[in-house]
Coordinates of all heavy atoms in Angstrom, one line a residue:
N1 N 39.7 18.8 30.9 CA 38.3 18.3 31.2 C 37.4 19.5 31.5 O 36.3 19.2 32.0 CB 38.4 17.4 32.4 CG 39.2 16.1 32.1 OD1 39.1 15.6 31.0 ND2 40.1 15.7 33.0
L2 N 37.8 20.7 31.3 CA 36.9 21.8 31.6 C 35.7 21.8 30.6 O 35.9 21.8 29.4 CB 37.7 23.1 31.4 CG 36.9 24.4 31.8 CD1 36.6 24.5 33.2 CD2 37.7 25.6 31.4
A3 N 34.5 21.9 31.2 CA 33.3 21.8 30.4 C 32.3 22.9 30.7 O 31.4 23.0 29.9 CB 32.6 20.4 30.6
R4 N 32.5 23.6 31.7 CA 31.5 24.6 32.1 C 32.2 25.9 32.7 O 33.1 25.8 33.5 CB 30.5 24.1 33.1 CG 29.5 25.0 33.5 CD 28.5 24.4 34.5 NE 27.4 25.3 34.8 CZ 26.1 25.0 34.9 NH1 25.8 23.7 34.6 NH2 25.2 25.9 35.2
I5 N 31.8 27.0 32.2 CA 32.3 28.3 32.6 C 31.2 29.2 33.0 O 30.2 29.4 32.3 CB 33.2 29.0 31.6 CG1 34.5 28.1 31.3 CG2 33.6 30.4 32.0 CD1 35.3 28.7 30.2
V6 N 31.3 29.8 34.2 CA 30.4 30.8 34.6 C 31.1 32.2 34.8 O 32.1 32.2 35.5 CB 29.7 30.5 36.0 CG1 28.8 31.6 36.5 CG2 28.9 29.2 35.8
V7 N 30.7 33.2 34.1 CA 31.2 34.5 34.3 C 30.2 35.3 35.0 O 29.0 35.5 34.6 CB 31.5 35.2 32.9 CG1 32.1 36.6 33.2 CG2 32.5 34.4 32.1
A8 N 30.5 35.7 36.2 CA 29.5 36.4 37.1 C 30.0 37.7 37.5 O 31.2 38.0 37.7 CB 29.2 35.5 38.3
G9 N 29.0 38.6 37.7 CA 29.4 40.0 38.2 C 28.2 40.5 39.1 O 27.1 40.1 38.9
H10 N 28.6 41.3 40.1 CA 27.6 41.9 41.0 C 27.7 43.4 40.9 O 28.9 44.0 40.8 CB 27.8 41.4 42.4 CG 26.9 42.1 43.4 ND1 27.4 43.1 44.2 CD2 25.6 41.9 43.7 CE1 26.4 43.5 45.0 NE2 25.3 42.8 44.7
S11 N 26.6 44.1 40.9 CA 26.6 45.6 40.8 C 27.4 46.0 39.6 O 27.1 45.6 38.5 CB 27.3 46.1 42.1 OG 27.2 47.5 42.2
A12 N 28.4 46.9 39.8 CA 29.2 47.4 38.6 C 29.8 46.2 37.8 O 30.0 46.3 36.6 CB 30.2 48.4 39.1
G13 N 30.2 45.2 38.5 CA 30.8 44.0 37.9 C 29.9 43.3 36.9 O 30.3 42.7 35.9
A14 N 28.5 43.5 37.1 CA 27.6 42.9 36.2 C 27.7 43.5 34.8 O 27.4 42.9 33.8 CB 26.2 43.1 36.7
A15 N 28.0 44.8 34.8 CA 28.1 45.5 33.5 C 29.3 45.0 32.7 O 29.2 44.9 31.5 CB 28.4 47.0 33.8
G16 N 30.3 44.5 33.3 CA 31.5 44.0 32.6 C 31.3 42.5 32.3 O 31.8 42.0 31.3
A17 N 30.6 41.8 33.2 CA 30.5 40.3 33.0 C 29.7 40.0 31.8 O 30.0 39.1 31.0 CB 29.8 39.7 34.3
G18 N 28.6 40.7 31.6 CA 27.7 40.4 30.4 C 28.4 40.6 29.1 O 28.5 39.7 28.3
P19 N 28.9 41.8 28.8 CA 29.5 42.1 27.5 C 30.7 41.3 27.2 O 30.9 40.8 26.1 CB 29.8 43.6 27.5 CG 28.8 44.1 28.5 CD 28.7 43.0 29.5
S20 N 31.6 41.1 28.2 CA 32.8 40.4 28.0 C 32.6 38.9 27.7 O 33.2 38.3 26.9 CB 33.8 40.6 29.2 OG 33.2 40.1 30.4
A21 N 31.6 38.4 28.5 CA 31.3 37.0 28.3 C 30.6 36.8 26.9 O 30.9 35.8 26.2 CB 30.3 36.5 29.3
G22 N 29.7 37.7 26.5 CA 29.1 37.6 25.2 C 30.1 37.7 24.1 O 30.1 37.0 23.1
E23 N 31.1 38.6 24.2 CA 32.1 38.7 23.2 C 32.9 37.5 23.1 O 33.2 37.0 22.0 CB 33.0 39.9 23.6 CG 34.2 40.1 22.6 CD 35.0 41.3 23.0 OE1 34.7 42.0 23.9 OE2 36.1 41.5 22.4
A24 N 33.3 36.9 24.2 CA 34.1 35.7 24.2 C 33.3 34.5 23.6 O 33.8 33.6 23.0 CB 34.6 35.3 25.6
N25 N 32.0 34.5 23.8 CA 31.2 33.4 23.4 C 30.9 33.5 21.9 O 30.7 32.5 21.2 CB 29.8 33.4 24.1 CG 29.1 32.1 24.0 OD1 29.7 31.1 23.9 ND2 27.8 32.2 24.1
D26 N 30.9 34.7 21.3 CA 30.5 34.9 19.9 C 31.6 35.1 19.0 O 31.5 34.8 17.8 CB 29.5 36.1 19.8 CG 28.2 35.8 20.6 OD1 27.8 34.6 20.7 OD2 27.6 36.8 21.0
A27 N 32.7 35.7 19.4 CA 33.8 36.0 18.5 C 34.4 34.8 17.9 O 34.5 33.7 18.6 CB 34.9 36.8 19.3
G28 N 34.8 34.9 16.7 CA 35.4 33.7 16.0 C 36.9 33.7 16.0 O 37.5 32.8 15.3
E29 N 37.6 34.6 16.6 CA 39.0 34.7 16.5 C 39.7 34.2 17.7 O 39.2 34.3 18.8 CB 39.4 36.2 16.3 CG 38.9 37.1 17.5 CD 39.0 38.6 17.1 OE1 38.6 38.9 16.0 OE2 39.5 39.3 18.0
G30 N 40.8 33.5 17.5 CA 41.6 33.0 18.6 C 41.1 31.6 18.9 O 40.0 31.3 19.1
A31 N 42.1 30.7 19.1 CA 41.8 29.3 19.4 C 41.0 29.2 20.7 O 40.1 28.4 20.9 CB 43.0 28.5 19.5
G32 N 41.4 30.0 21.7 CA 40.8 29.9 23.0 C 39.3 30.3 23.0 O 38.4 29.7 23.4
V33 N 39.1 31.5 22.3 CA 37.7 32.0 22.2 C 36.9 31.1 21.4 O 35.7 30.9 21.7 CB 37.8 33.4 21.7 CG1 36.3 33.9 21.4 CG2 38.4 34.4 22.6
A34 N 37.5 30.5 20.3 CA 36.7 29.6 19.4 C 36.2 28.4 20.2 O 35.1 27.9 20.0 CB 37.6 29.2 18.3
R35 N 37.1 28.0 21.2 CA 36.6 26.8 21.9 C 35.5 27.2 22.9 O 34.6 26.4 23.2 CB 37.8 26.2 22.8 CG 37.4 25.0 23.5 CD 38.7 24.3 24.0 NE 38.3 23.1 24.8 CZ 38.2 22.9 26.1 NH1 38.6 24.0 26.8 NH2 37.8 21.8 26.7

């Protein structure tokens, strides 16, 4: 029933949160990432 995911980062963590979330949101490989 999972319908919403928030990837959040503060300070240095913000640098990792944005790119990693974008990669997972856009990449077409892997069943999990595709979902």
Side-chain angles (χ1 to χ4, degrees):
N1 298 318
L2 182 65
R4 181 176 183 140
I5 295 177
V6 174
V7 181
H10 175 259
S11 186
S20 60
E23 179 180 349
N25 196 30
D26 296 333
E29 58 196 45
V33 172
R35 183 165 181 257

